[in-house]
Amino acid sequence: MTPVPPPAMLDITCLRRVRPWGGDPVDIAMDAGTITAIAPAGTAPIGVREFDGRGLLALPGIVNAHAHVDKSWWGLRWQSYGGEGSTEGRIRHERAEREALGIPSFERSAHVLREFVRHGTTAIRTHVDVDDGIGLRGIEAVEQAAAAYEGALDVRIVAFPQDGILRRPGVLDLLRDAAGRPSVDRIGGLDPATIDRDPVGQIDAITALAADTGVGIDIHLHDPAELGAFQIELLVDRAARLGLQGRINIAHGFAVAQLEPARRRDLLQAMSDVGVTMTTVAPLRLPQLPLAELDEAGVRFAFGTDGIRDLWSPYGTGDTLGIAWQYARAAGIVRDDDLLRVVQLATSAAAWSVGRDTHDLVEGARADIVLVDAENPQDALVRTPERALVVAGGRVLHVA
Ligand SMILES: O=c1cc[nH]c(=O)[nH]1
């Protein structure tokens, strides 16, 4: 096992000669984790801790809006995949094998966070398993791994009932306990129809808990087509009735891409009306969420890596820009404005997913910046080059 060293963090006050979104070279000044000024290159007052960006492309830090940082075996020797193919089979396999691999633990999560940072990630929304076997231990481990970054890396937790809720007595109480922790701003759910076999029951339970405790919801919904759409309609209804507007996210939501266009248009409009958002991991063997239709309806969405190297799948590198590439490629996106939109979805337009109004290279924004050797955002997307420098909350967390 490779031990994970504590993150090296260096406060800086100015990034010189960088090209935000591919524009002219500027100097970006920052103080106490916030961008304080952006001025033409060479004109910012000389400060103390500066970094020369050498004309590299600057983008806002990459946002991973759907991760599972508690359950990876990153940092251990290769683990041969031994699970069954179904969701239920994978849950069983994970529960049987995780303790032997030290999952969950500070070390496991620390390795994953380090990989995310290396790939330019500065803000993360991670699901963390909560069940009758590990209770809240996974959340404690992720909190500890995140704390090593002293707030520079923005880590938000979804308490995730991976093994179901209604069918596992006590899990709803665990979710209530989790919702009381400052690190947890959402509670999760999982395929209410196929896991708990009670769509109304699970959705009523989590929406009532969210309304009662003030947290949001981020529910995994793999259920397909009309079965999935029915559950989305239930969530839309509860959002309106319980005052959860803008506080419900649907992760995966494969159903949306599987409906016929008129049905999808109406569903997206209903979601938009109550601020239901979506996150996708750009699954390779399924249709992609249609970018133009979501944008037209005003349904905000963002990308995530899903779990990486875990007991669900050996795949995943921790690169959310790579997931954006996969999305664009699989969706057949080639036009410049659409490629730019995909980069925005992985960065600035994902602000909502980490509770921000603004996440961009502008004065007053959090100083979360990634530099890459690319001509423009489109070039950065199609080549996904190495991240040359990663600044989070005004601190350099990674230099290539
Ligand atoms: O439910 C899911 C789906 C993907 N990965 C997980 O860990 N859980």
Side-chain angles (χ1 to χ4, degrees):
M1 177 178 15
T2 327
V4 55
M9 296 188 287
L10 177 70
D11 275 306
I12 57 167
T13 56
C14 193
L15 254 186
R16 290 197 178 271
R17 288 202 297 154
V18 298
R19 293 181 302 108
W21 293 104
D24 292 336
V26 298
D27 297 334
I28 302 180
M30 54 200 94
D31 185 35
T34 300
I35 296 177
T36 52
I38 300 182
T43 61
I46 304 294
V48 266
R49 292 174 303 277
E50 304 196 340
F51 189 93
D52 182 3
R54 308 185 318 274
L56 295 175
L57 172 72
L59 296 172
I62 292 164
V63 177
N64 186 343
H66 182 101
H68 291 266
V69 311
D70 56 323
K71 56 171 66 185
S72 175
W73 44 265
W74 204 284
L76 298 178
R77 293 173 65 87
W78 180 260
Q79 303 294 317
S80 302
Y81 179 70
E84 302 157 49
S86 64
T87 300
E88 194 64 84
R90 289 181 163 130
I91 292 170
R92 255 198 314 276
H93 175 62
E94 180 173 57
R95 286 202 63 155
E97 303 296 326
R98 64 188 174 189
E99 296 286 356
L101 298 179
I103 296 171
S105 63
F106 162 79
E107 285 77 15
R108 302 274 62 75
S109 295
H111 275 284
V112 178
L113 291 182
R114 198 175 54 152
E115 268 323 284
F116 286 177
V117 166
R118 203 169 69 77
H119 285 102
T121 315
T122 57
I124 300 156
R125 174 175 296 290
T126 179
H127 295 253
V128 180
D129 285 11
V130 167
D131 61 46
D132 55 7
I134 52 174
L136 303 187
R137 268 199 293 128
I139 291 181
E140 288 159 10
V142 173
E143 285 171 349
Q144 206 191 342
Y149 290 88
E150 298 172 358
L153 186 63
D154 184 353
V155 180
R156 286 143 195 265
I157 294 177
V158 182
F160 176 42
Q162 173 74 85
D163 194 17
I165 301 175
L166 304 182
R167 67 179 188 169
R168 300 285 182 238
V171 169
L172 198 57
D173 294 330
L174 286 171
L175 292 180
R176 181 175 287 279
D177 292 347
R181 299 174 84 92
S183 64
V184 174
D185 59 6
R186 297 204 179 208
I187 52 166
L190 174 68
D191 292 328
T194 49
I195 294 295
D196 276 337
R197 306 192 74 75
D198 183 353
V200 176
Q202 187 189 115
I203 287 171
D204 276 346
I206 58 174
T207 51
L209 183 54
D212 195 30
T213 57
V215 297
I217 286 179
D218 193 337
I219 181 170
H220 278 62
L221 196 55
H222 308 100
D223 286 339
E226 277 303 328
L227 182 60
F230 166 63
Q231 294 169 92
I232 294 173
E233 286 167 339
L234 287 175
L235 288 160
V236 165
D237 174 76
R238 301 312 188 261
R241 284 209 277 132
L242 298 177
L244 296 173
Q245 291 90 342
R247 280 166 51 193
I248 298 183
N249 184 66
I250 295 173
H252 305 301
F254 300 149
V256 168
Q258 295 166 339
L259 299 174
E260 55 94 11
R263 171 90 169 98
R264 176 163 58 241
R265 190 190 54 231
D266 293 347
L267 185 64
L268 287 173
Q269 195 52 57
M271 292 165 66
S272 170
D273 289 347
V274 290
V276 170
T277 55
M278 297 193 76
T279 41
T280 182
V281 301
L284 278 175
R285 288 175 297 146
L286 291 169
Q288 302 302 311
L289 295 179
L291 174 62
E293 292 176 50
L294 268 75
D295 273 354
E296 201 177 316
V299 173
R300 294 177 297 177
F301 77 113
F303 299 117
T305 54
D306 216 347
I308 60 170
R309 274 192 178 221
D310 60 22
L311 291 161
W312 281 62
S313 160
Y315 285 99
T317 61
D319 185 3
T320 304
L321 189 62
I323 295 293
W325 175 91
Q326 182 170 301
Y327 172 80
R329 195 79 208 263
I333 287 172
V334 289
R335 296 169 58 90
D336 272 6
D337 48 357
D338 292 334
L339 293 169
L340 174 61
R341 180 72 185 137
V342 171
V343 178
Q344 290 167 343
L345 288 169
T347 57
S348 54
W352 63 268
S353 70
V354 285
R356 299 183 195 175
D357 293 330
T358 304
H359 170 53
D360 209 343
L361 303 178
V362 294
E363 285 179 26
R366 196 173 195 270
D368 284 5
I369 305 166
V370 57
L371 300 188
V372 289
D373 186 0
E375 184 181 343
N376 54 32
Q378 293 86 347
D379 181 32
L381 180 67
V382 301
R383 286 193 300 110
T384 60
E386 179 179 59
R387 310 312 122 90
L389 181 87
V390 181
V391 177
R395 289 171 156 195
V396 174
L397 297 190
H398 171 76
V399 187

